[in-house]
């Protein structure tokens, strides 16, 4: 008789824990959906500064601009986590948000290398075009990532 009540108590405890996890996922999904309006443009601007950094000179200037852009991205991340009351920013919640993150990373890396090539070959006008394209891609990708991540979190409940 005692083993049945212990099993029932364990099952009830497990159901309560799963319900708590589902509630947290829904709450986090709603927070991600209602993220502040400034995060995607601010992230896109910092990424554009990173891509345009070779125009400041391949050595010291690029290093300073890149460092400033990276610090800005970390600052934005910190502010968003603070605003969303998160200790740790969750990663991608599913395959779509992971794919968006991978595509954005590949585009950023390719554009950065391309900007360095344009700077070395003294074709600065192409750096401007590359930066503009990456700004648009980063702006759209950031917004899509947040929406996809929220949708995948909410669907997992």
């Amino acid at each position: 008789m005692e083993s049945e009540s212990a099993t029932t108590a364990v099952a009830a405890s497990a159901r309560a824990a799963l319900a708590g996890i589902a509630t947290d996922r829904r709450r986090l999904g709603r927070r991600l959906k209602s993220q502040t309006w400034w995060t995607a443009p601010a992230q896109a601007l910092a990424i554009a500064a990173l891509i345009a950094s070779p125009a400041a000179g391949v050595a010291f200037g690029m290093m300073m601009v890149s460092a400033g852009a990276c610090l800005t991205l970390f600052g934005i991340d910190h502010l968003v986590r603070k605003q969303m009351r998160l200790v740790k920013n969750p990663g991608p919640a599913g395959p779509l948000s992971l794919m968006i993150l991978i595509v954005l990373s590949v585009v950023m890396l390719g554009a950065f290398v391309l900007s360095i090539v344009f700077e070395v070959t003294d074709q600065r006008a192409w750096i401007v075009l590359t930066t503009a394209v990456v700004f648009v891609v980063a702006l759209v990708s950031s917004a899509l990532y947040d929406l996809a991540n929220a949708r995948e979190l909410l669907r997992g409940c």
Side-chain angles (χ1 to χ4, degrees), residues 83-141:
Q83 193 171 42
M84 291 176 63
R85 296 180 303 276
L86 293 174
V87 174
K88 173 181 163 278
N89 210 3
L96 181 60
S97 55
L98 179 62
M99 184 190 69
I100 292 169
L101 198 61
I102 290 170
V103 167
L104 180 60
S105 298
V106 168
V107 167
M108 283 175 49
L109 181 63
F112 186 69
V113 169
L114 200 57
S115 288
I116 291 173
V117 169
F118 289 147
E119 175 60 27
V120 169
T121 59
D122 202 30
Q123 298 177 11
R124 287 197 176 104
W126 288 103
I127 294 176
V128 174
L129 179 64
T130 304
T131 301
V133 168
V134 170
F135 173 78
V136 172
V137 169
L139 184 64
V140 171
S141 296

Short mmCIF file of all heavy atoms in Angstrom, two decimals, residues 83-141:
data_model
loop_
_atom_site.label_atom_id
_atom_site.label_comp_id
_atom_site.label_asym_id
_atom_site.label_seq_id
_atom_site.Cartn_x
_atom_site.Cartn_y
_atom_site.Cartn_z
N GLN A 83 16.59 42.99 -19.02
CA GLN A 83 15.21 43.40 -19.22
C GLN A 83 14.25 42.21 -19.18
O GLN A 83 13.14 42.32 -18.68
CB GLN A 83 15.09 44.13 -20.56
CG GLN A 83 13.81 44.86 -20.75
CD GLN A 83 13.87 45.72 -21.99
OE1 GLN A 83 14.37 45.30 -23.02
NE2 GLN A 83 13.36 46.92 -21.90
N MET A 84 14.72 41.06 -19.70
CA MET A 84 13.87 39.87 -19.71
C MET A 84 14.00 39.07 -18.42
O MET A 84 13.37 38.02 -18.27
CB MET A 84 14.23 38.99 -20.91
CG MET A 84 13.84 39.61 -22.22
SD MET A 84 14.35 38.63 -23.64
CE MET A 84 13.43 37.14 -23.39
N ARG A 85 14.84 39.55 -17.51
CA ARG A 85 15.07 38.89 -16.23
C ARG A 85 15.57 37.45 -16.42
O ARG A 85 15.07 36.51 -15.82
CB ARG A 85 13.81 38.92 -15.36
CG ARG A 85 13.40 40.31 -14.97
CD ARG A 85 12.16 40.34 -14.13
NE ARG A 85 10.99 39.71 -14.70
CZ ARG A 85 10.13 40.28 -15.54
NH1 ARG A 85 10.35 41.52 -15.91
NH2 ARG A 85 9.09 39.65 -15.98
N LEU A 86 16.58 37.32 -17.28
CA LEU A 86 17.19 36.02 -17.53
C LEU A 86 18.60 36.01 -16.96
O LEU A 86 19.34 36.96 -17.13
CB LEU A 86 17.28 35.74 -19.04
CG LEU A 86 15.99 35.56 -19.79
CD1 LEU A 86 16.28 35.45 -21.28
CD2 LEU A 86 15.28 34.32 -19.32
N VAL A 87 18.96 34.93 -16.34
CA VAL A 87 20.33 34.77 -15.87
C VAL A 87 21.21 34.42 -17.06
O VAL A 87 22.31 34.92 -17.23
CB VAL A 87 20.41 33.66 -14.80
CG1 VAL A 87 21.85 33.39 -14.42
CG2 VAL A 87 19.59 34.04 -13.59
N LYS A 88 20.69 33.57 -17.92
CA LYS A 88 21.43 33.10 -19.08
C LYS A 88 20.50 33.21 -20.28
O LYS A 88 19.34 32.84 -20.21
CB LYS A 88 21.84 31.65 -18.83
CG LYS A 88 22.46 30.95 -19.97
CD LYS A 88 22.77 29.52 -19.52
CE LYS A 88 23.02 28.61 -20.63
NZ LYS A 88 22.06 27.99 -21.37
N ASN A 89 21.01 33.74 -21.37
CA ASN A 89 20.21 33.85 -22.58
C ASN A 89 20.09 32.48 -23.22
O ASN A 89 21.09 31.85 -23.51
CB ASN A 89 20.84 34.85 -23.55
CG ASN A 89 19.82 35.53 -24.41
OD1 ASN A 89 18.63 35.33 -24.27
ND2 ASN A 89 20.30 36.37 -25.30
N PRO A 90 18.88 31.99 -23.41
CA PRO A 90 18.73 30.66 -23.98
C PRO A 90 19.19 30.63 -25.43
O PRO A 90 19.11 31.61 -26.15
CB PRO A 90 17.23 30.40 -23.88
CG PRO A 90 16.62 31.75 -23.90
CD PRO A 90 17.60 32.65 -23.22
N GLY A 91 19.66 29.51 -25.83
CA GLY A 91 20.08 29.33 -27.22
C GLY A 91 18.87 29.03 -28.09
O GLY A 91 17.72 29.19 -27.67
N PRO A 92 19.12 28.59 -29.29
CA PRO A 92 18.01 28.26 -30.18
C PRO A 92 17.16 27.15 -29.59
O PRO A 92 17.68 26.18 -29.05
CB PRO A 92 18.69 27.81 -31.47
CG PRO A 92 20.15 27.97 -31.28
CD PRO A 92 20.42 28.40 -29.89
N ALA A 93 15.85 27.30 -29.70
CA ALA A 93 14.94 26.33 -29.11
C ALA A 93 14.54 25.24 -30.09
O ALA A 93 13.86 24.30 -29.71
CB ALA A 93 13.68 27.04 -28.60
N GLY A 94 14.93 25.37 -31.34
CA GLY A 94 14.55 24.37 -32.33
C GLY A 94 15.36 24.52 -33.60
O GLY A 94 16.25 25.37 -33.71
N PRO A 95 15.02 23.72 -34.60
CA PRO A 95 15.83 23.70 -35.83
C PRO A 95 15.74 24.98 -36.66
O PRO A 95 16.73 25.39 -37.27
CB PRO A 95 15.27 22.51 -36.61
CG PRO A 95 13.92 22.25 -36.03
CD PRO A 95 13.97 22.72 -34.61
N LEU A 96 14.60 25.64 -36.69
CA LEU A 96 14.47 26.85 -37.50
C LEU A 96 15.32 27.99 -36.92
O LEU A 96 16.05 28.66 -37.66
CB LEU A 96 13.00 27.29 -37.61
CG LEU A 96 12.74 28.52 -38.45
CD1 LEU A 96 13.21 28.30 -39.89
CD2 LEU A 96 11.27 28.89 -38.41
N SER A 97 15.24 28.21 -35.63
CA SER A 97 16.03 29.27 -35.03
C SER A 97 17.53 28.95 -35.12
O SER A 97 18.35 29.85 -35.33
CB SER A 97 15.61 29.53 -33.58
OG SER A 97 15.66 28.35 -32.82
N LEU A 98 17.89 27.68 -35.02
CA LEU A 98 19.29 27.28 -35.19
C LEU A 98 19.76 27.55 -36.61
O LEU A 98 20.86 28.06 -36.83
CB LEU A 98 19.48 25.81 -34.83
CG LEU A 98 20.89 25.25 -34.99
CD1 LEU A 98 21.86 25.97 -34.07
CD2 LEU A 98 20.90 23.76 -34.71
N MET A 99 18.92 27.25 -37.60
CA MET A 99 19.28 27.48 -38.98
C MET A 99 19.47 28.98 -39.26
O MET A 99 20.43 29.38 -39.93
CB MET A 99 18.21 26.93 -39.93
CG MET A 99 18.59 27.08 -41.40
SD MET A 99 17.24 26.71 -42.51
CE MET A 99 16.14 28.07 -42.20
N ILE A 100 18.60 29.81 -38.72
CA ILE A 100 18.73 31.27 -38.90
C ILE A 100 20.04 31.75 -38.30
O ILE A 100 20.76 32.55 -38.90
CB ILE A 100 17.52 32.00 -38.28
CG1 ILE A 100 16.25 31.70 -39.09
CG2 ILE A 100 17.77 33.50 -38.22
CD1 ILE A 100 14.97 32.16 -38.41
N LEU A 101 20.38 31.26 -37.13
CA LEU A 101 21.62 31.64 -36.46
C LEU A 101 22.85 31.21 -37.27
O LEU A 101 23.80 31.98 -37.42
CB LEU A 101 21.65 31.01 -35.07
CG LEU A 101 22.62 31.58 -34.06
CD1 LEU A 101 22.30 33.04 -33.78
CD2 LEU A 101 22.54 30.78 -32.79
N ILE A 102 22.82 30.01 -37.83
CA ILE A 102 23.94 29.52 -38.63
C ILE A 102 24.08 30.33 -39.91
O ILE A 102 25.19 30.74 -40.28
CB ILE A 102 23.77 28.01 -38.94
CG1 ILE A 102 23.97 27.20 -37.66
CG2 ILE A 102 24.74 27.56 -40.03
CD1 ILE A 102 23.60 25.74 -37.79
N VAL A 103 22.96 30.60 -40.59
CA VAL A 103 23.01 31.39 -41.83
C VAL A 103 23.55 32.79 -41.55
O VAL A 103 24.42 33.29 -42.29
CB VAL A 103 21.62 31.44 -42.49
CG1 VAL A 103 21.57 32.49 -43.59
CG2 VAL A 103 21.25 30.07 -43.05
N LEU A 104 23.09 33.42 -40.49
CA LEU A 104 23.58 34.76 -40.15
C LEU A 104 25.08 34.73 -39.84
O LEU A 104 25.82 35.61 -40.28
CB LEU A 104 22.81 35.34 -38.97
CG LEU A 104 23.24 36.73 -38.51
CD1 LEU A 104 23.08 37.75 -39.62
CD2 LEU A 104 22.46 37.14 -37.27
N SER A 105 25.52 33.72 -39.13
CA SER A 105 26.95 33.62 -38.80
C SER A 105 27.80 33.43 -40.06
O SER A 105 28.85 34.06 -40.20
CB SER A 105 27.19 32.44 -37.85
OG SER A 105 26.50 32.65 -36.65
N VAL A 106 27.34 32.60 -40.98
CA VAL A 106 28.08 32.37 -42.22
C VAL A 106 28.12 33.64 -43.07
O VAL A 106 29.16 34.01 -43.62
CB VAL A 106 27.48 31.18 -43.01
CG1 VAL A 106 28.02 31.10 -44.43
CG2 VAL A 106 27.73 29.87 -42.27
N VAL A 107 26.99 34.34 -43.14
CA VAL A 107 26.94 35.60 -43.90
C VAL A 107 27.89 36.63 -43.29
O VAL A 107 28.62 37.31 -44.01
CB VAL A 107 25.49 36.14 -43.97
CG1 VAL A 107 25.45 37.57 -44.45
CG2 VAL A 107 24.64 35.25 -44.87
N MET A 108 27.88 36.73 -41.96
CA MET A 108 28.77 37.69 -41.29
C MET A 108 30.23 37.37 -41.54
O MET A 108 31.03 38.26 -41.86
CB MET A 108 28.50 37.70 -39.78
CG MET A 108 27.27 38.44 -39.38
SD MET A 108 26.92 38.30 -37.61
CE MET A 108 28.48 38.68 -36.87
N LEU A 109 30.60 36.11 -41.41
CA LEU A 109 31.99 35.72 -41.62
C LEU A 109 32.42 35.98 -43.07
O LEU A 109 33.48 36.56 -43.32
CB LEU A 109 32.19 34.24 -41.27
CG LEU A 109 33.61 33.71 -41.42
CD1 LEU A 109 34.55 34.44 -40.47
CD2 LEU A 109 33.64 32.22 -41.16
N GLY A 110 31.56 35.59 -44.01
CA GLY A 110 31.88 35.83 -45.42
C GLY A 110 31.99 37.31 -45.74
O GLY A 110 32.90 37.73 -46.47
N ALA A 111 31.08 38.10 -45.21
CA ALA A 111 31.11 39.54 -45.48
C ALA A 111 32.33 40.20 -44.85
O ALA A 111 32.91 41.12 -45.43
CB ALA A 111 29.82 40.19 -44.96
N PHE A 112 32.73 39.74 -43.67
CA PHE A 112 33.92 40.30 -43.02
C PHE A 112 35.17 40.01 -43.85
O PHE A 112 35.98 40.90 -44.08
CB PHE A 112 34.06 39.74 -41.60
CG PHE A 112 35.16 40.37 -40.81
CD1 PHE A 112 35.08 41.69 -40.40
CD2 PHE A 112 36.29 39.64 -40.48
CE1 PHE A 112 36.09 42.28 -39.68
CE2 PHE A 112 37.32 40.21 -39.75
CZ PHE A 112 37.22 41.54 -39.35
N VAL A 113 35.30 38.78 -44.31
CA VAL A 113 36.44 38.42 -45.16
C VAL A 113 36.40 39.22 -46.45
O VAL A 113 37.43 39.73 -46.92
CB VAL A 113 36.45 36.90 -45.43
CG1 VAL A 113 37.46 36.53 -46.51
CG2 VAL A 113 36.74 36.13 -44.15
N LEU A 114 35.21 39.36 -47.03
CA LEU A 114 35.06 40.13 -48.26
C LEU A 114 35.45 41.59 -48.04
O LEU A 114 36.11 42.20 -48.88
CB LEU A 114 33.61 40.03 -48.74
CG LEU A 114 33.31 40.33 -50.19
CD1 LEU A 114 34.12 39.43 -51.11
CD2 LEU A 114 31.83 40.14 -50.45
N SER A 115 35.07 42.15 -46.90
CA SER A 115 35.45 43.54 -46.59
C SER A 115 36.96 43.69 -46.46
O SER A 115 37.52 44.71 -46.90
CB SER A 115 34.78 44.00 -45.29
OG SER A 115 33.41 44.19 -45.49
N ILE A 116 37.60 42.72 -45.86
CA ILE A 116 39.07 42.77 -45.76
C ILE A 116 39.69 42.73 -47.16
O ILE A 116 40.60 43.50 -47.47
CB ILE A 116 39.60 41.63 -44.88
CG1 ILE A 116 39.20 41.86 -43.43
CG2 ILE A 116 41.12 41.51 -44.99
CD1 ILE A 116 39.51 40.72 -42.50
N VAL A 117 39.16 41.86 -48.01
CA VAL A 117 39.66 41.78 -49.39
C VAL A 117 39.44 43.10 -50.11
O VAL A 117 40.34 43.60 -50.82
CB VAL A 117 38.99 40.61 -50.15
CG1 VAL A 117 39.28 40.68 -51.64
CG2 VAL A 117 39.42 39.28 -49.57
N PHE A 118 38.28 43.71 -49.94
CA PHE A 118 38.00 44.99 -50.60
C PHE A 118 38.93 46.09 -50.08
O PHE A 118 39.35 46.95 -50.84
CB PHE A 118 36.54 45.41 -50.41
CG PHE A 118 35.57 44.58 -51.19
CD1 PHE A 118 34.31 44.31 -50.69
CD2 PHE A 118 35.89 44.07 -52.44
CE1 PHE A 118 33.40 43.56 -51.42
CE2 PHE A 118 34.99 43.31 -53.17
CZ PHE A 118 33.73 43.05 -52.66
N GLU A 119 39.23 46.07 -48.79
CA GLU A 119 40.15 47.07 -48.23
C GLU A 119 41.56 46.88 -48.77
O GLU A 119 42.23 47.85 -49.14
CB GLU A 119 40.14 47.02 -46.71
CG GLU A 119 41.13 47.94 -46.03
CD GLU A 119 40.92 49.41 -46.34
OE1 GLU A 119 39.80 49.84 -46.63
OE2 GLU A 119 41.93 50.15 -46.29
N VAL A 120 42.01 45.65 -48.82
CA VAL A 120 43.37 45.38 -49.29
C VAL A 120 43.52 45.74 -50.76
O VAL A 120 44.56 46.24 -51.19
CB VAL A 120 43.73 43.89 -49.04
CG1 VAL A 120 45.02 43.50 -49.74
CG2 VAL A 120 43.85 43.64 -47.54
N THR A 121 42.46 45.51 -51.55
CA THR A 121 42.51 45.83 -52.98
C THR A 121 42.05 47.26 -53.27
O THR A 121 41.87 47.62 -54.43
CB THR A 121 41.67 44.83 -53.79
OG1 THR A 121 40.31 44.87 -53.32
CG2 THR A 121 42.23 43.43 -53.69
N ASP A 122 41.85 48.04 -52.22
CA ASP A 122 41.49 49.46 -52.33
C ASP A 122 40.18 49.68 -53.10
O ASP A 122 40.09 50.52 -53.99
CB ASP A 122 42.63 50.25 -52.97
CG ASP A 122 42.54 51.73 -52.63
OD1 ASP A 122 42.03 52.05 -51.54
OD2 ASP A 122 42.98 52.56 -53.46
N GLN A 123 39.17 48.93 -52.74
CA GLN A 123 37.84 49.06 -53.35
C GLN A 123 36.82 49.35 -52.24
O GLN A 123 35.91 48.58 -51.98
CB GLN A 123 37.47 47.78 -54.10
CG GLN A 123 38.40 47.46 -55.23
CD GLN A 123 38.04 46.15 -55.90
OE1 GLN A 123 36.99 45.58 -55.66
NE2 GLN A 123 38.91 45.68 -56.77
N ARG A 124 36.96 50.52 -51.63
CA ARG A 124 36.15 50.86 -50.45
C ARG A 124 34.67 51.01 -50.75
O ARG A 124 33.83 50.82 -49.87
CB ARG A 124 36.70 52.12 -49.80
CG ARG A 124 38.00 51.86 -49.09
CD ARG A 124 38.33 52.97 -48.11
NE ARG A 124 39.54 52.62 -47.40
CZ ARG A 124 40.71 53.17 -47.66
NH1 ARG A 124 40.82 54.10 -48.59
NH2 ARG A 124 41.76 52.80 -46.97
N ALA A 125 34.32 51.35 -51.97
CA ALA A 125 32.90 51.47 -52.31
C ALA A 125 32.17 50.14 -52.13
O ALA A 125 31.01 50.11 -51.71
CB ALA A 125 32.74 51.96 -53.75
N TRP A 126 32.87 49.05 -52.38
CA TRP A 126 32.26 47.74 -52.20
C TRP A 126 32.08 47.40 -50.72
O TRP A 126 31.18 46.64 -50.36
CB TRP A 126 33.08 46.67 -52.91
CG TRP A 126 32.95 46.76 -54.40
CD1 TRP A 126 33.85 47.28 -55.28
CD2 TRP A 126 31.82 46.35 -55.17
NE1 TRP A 126 33.36 47.21 -56.55
CE2 TRP A 126 32.12 46.64 -56.53
CE3 TRP A 126 30.60 45.77 -54.87
CZ2 TRP A 126 31.23 46.37 -57.55
CZ3 TRP A 126 29.72 45.50 -55.90
CH2 TRP A 126 30.03 45.79 -57.22
N ILE A 127 32.91 47.97 -49.88
CA ILE A 127 32.74 47.76 -48.44
C ILE A 127 31.43 48.39 -47.98
O ILE A 127 30.69 47.80 -47.19
CB ILE A 127 33.93 48.35 -47.64
CG1 ILE A 127 35.21 47.58 -47.96
CG2 ILE A 127 33.65 48.31 -46.14
CD1 ILE A 127 36.44 48.15 -47.29
N VAL A 128 31.12 49.55 -48.52
CA VAL A 128 29.86 50.23 -48.17
C VAL A 128 28.67 49.37 -48.61
O VAL A 128 27.72 49.18 -47.84
CB VAL A 128 29.81 51.64 -48.82
CG1 VAL A 128 28.45 52.27 -48.60
CG2 VAL A 128 30.92 52.52 -48.28
N LEU A 129 28.74 48.85 -49.82
CA LEU A 129 27.65 48.00 -50.32
C LEU A 129 27.53 46.72 -49.49
O LEU A 129 26.42 46.33 -49.10
CB LEU A 129 27.87 47.66 -51.79
CG LEU A 129 26.80 46.77 -52.42
CD1 LEU A 129 25.45 47.48 -52.44
CD2 LEU A 129 27.21 46.36 -53.82
N THR A 130 28.64 46.10 -49.19
CA THR A 130 28.64 44.88 -48.37
C THR A 130 28.06 45.16 -46.99
O THR A 130 27.25 44.38 -46.48
CB THR A 130 30.07 44.32 -48.24
OG1 THR A 130 30.61 44.10 -49.54
CG2 THR A 130 30.10 43.04 -47.45
N THR A 131 28.45 46.27 -46.41
CA THR A 131 27.94 46.64 -45.08
C THR A 131 26.43 46.88 -45.12
O THR A 131 25.71 46.44 -44.21
CB THR A 131 28.66 47.90 -44.57
OG1 THR A 131 30.06 47.62 -44.52
CG2 THR A 131 28.18 48.31 -43.21
N ALA A 132 25.95 47.55 -46.16
CA ALA A 132 24.51 47.81 -46.28
C ALA A 132 23.72 46.51 -46.42
O ALA A 132 22.68 46.33 -45.78
CB ALA A 132 24.24 48.72 -47.47
N VAL A 133 24.23 45.60 -47.24
CA VAL A 133 23.55 44.31 -47.42
C VAL A 133 23.53 43.52 -46.11
O VAL A 133 22.50 42.96 -45.72
CB VAL A 133 24.22 43.49 -48.55
CG1 VAL A 133 23.72 42.06 -48.58
CG2 VAL A 133 23.97 44.16 -49.90
N VAL A 134 24.66 43.49 -45.42
CA VAL A 134 24.73 42.76 -44.15
C VAL A 134 23.84 43.41 -43.09
O VAL A 134 23.23 42.72 -42.28
CB VAL A 134 26.18 42.64 -43.66
CG1 VAL A 134 26.26 42.11 -42.24
CG2 VAL A 134 26.97 41.73 -44.59
N PHE A 135 23.74 44.74 -43.10
CA PHE A 135 22.83 45.41 -42.16
C PHE A 135 21.40 44.92 -42.36
O PHE A 135 20.71 44.56 -41.40
CB PHE A 135 22.89 46.93 -42.32
CG PHE A 135 21.86 47.65 -41.51
CD1 PHE A 135 22.05 47.84 -40.15
CD2 PHE A 135 20.70 48.13 -42.09
CE1 PHE A 135 21.09 48.49 -39.38
CE2 PHE A 135 19.74 48.78 -41.33
CZ PHE A 135 19.94 48.97 -39.97
N VAL A 136 20.95 44.87 -43.61
CA VAL A 136 19.58 44.42 -43.90
C VAL A 136 19.41 42.95 -43.52
O VAL A 136 18.41 42.57 -42.88
CB VAL A 136 19.24 44.66 -45.38
CG1 VAL A 136 17.91 44.02 -45.74
CG2 VAL A 136 19.21 46.15 -45.69
N VAL A 137 20.39 42.11 -43.88
CA VAL A 137 20.31 40.69 -43.54
C VAL A 137 20.29 40.50 -42.02
O VAL A 137 19.50 39.72 -41.49
CB VAL A 137 21.49 39.91 -44.18
CG1 VAL A 137 21.58 38.50 -43.62
CG2 VAL A 137 21.34 39.87 -45.69
N ALA A 138 21.13 41.23 -41.30
CA ALA A 138 21.18 41.12 -39.84
C ALA A 138 19.89 41.62 -39.20
O ALA A 138 19.40 41.02 -38.23
CB ALA A 138 22.38 41.88 -39.28
N LEU A 139 19.34 42.70 -39.73
CA LEU A 139 18.09 43.24 -39.18
C LEU A 139 16.95 42.23 -39.34
O LEU A 139 16.24 41.92 -38.37
CB LEU A 139 17.74 44.54 -39.90
CG LEU A 139 16.53 45.31 -39.42
CD1 LEU A 139 16.73 45.79 -38.00
CD2 LEU A 139 16.26 46.48 -40.34
N VAL A 140 16.82 41.69 -40.52
CA VAL A 140 15.76 40.71 -40.78
C VAL A 140 16.02 39.42 -40.01
O VAL A 140 15.10 38.86 -39.39
CB VAL A 140 15.63 40.44 -42.30
CG1 VAL A 140 14.70 39.29 -42.59
CG2 VAL A 140 15.16 41.70 -43.02
N SER A 141 17.26 38.96 -40.01
CA SER A 141 17.60 37.71 -39.32
C SER A 141 17.38 37.80 -37.82
O SER A 141 16.90 36.86 -37.20
CB SER A 141 19.05 37.32 -39.59
OG SER A 141 19.24 37.04 -40.94
#
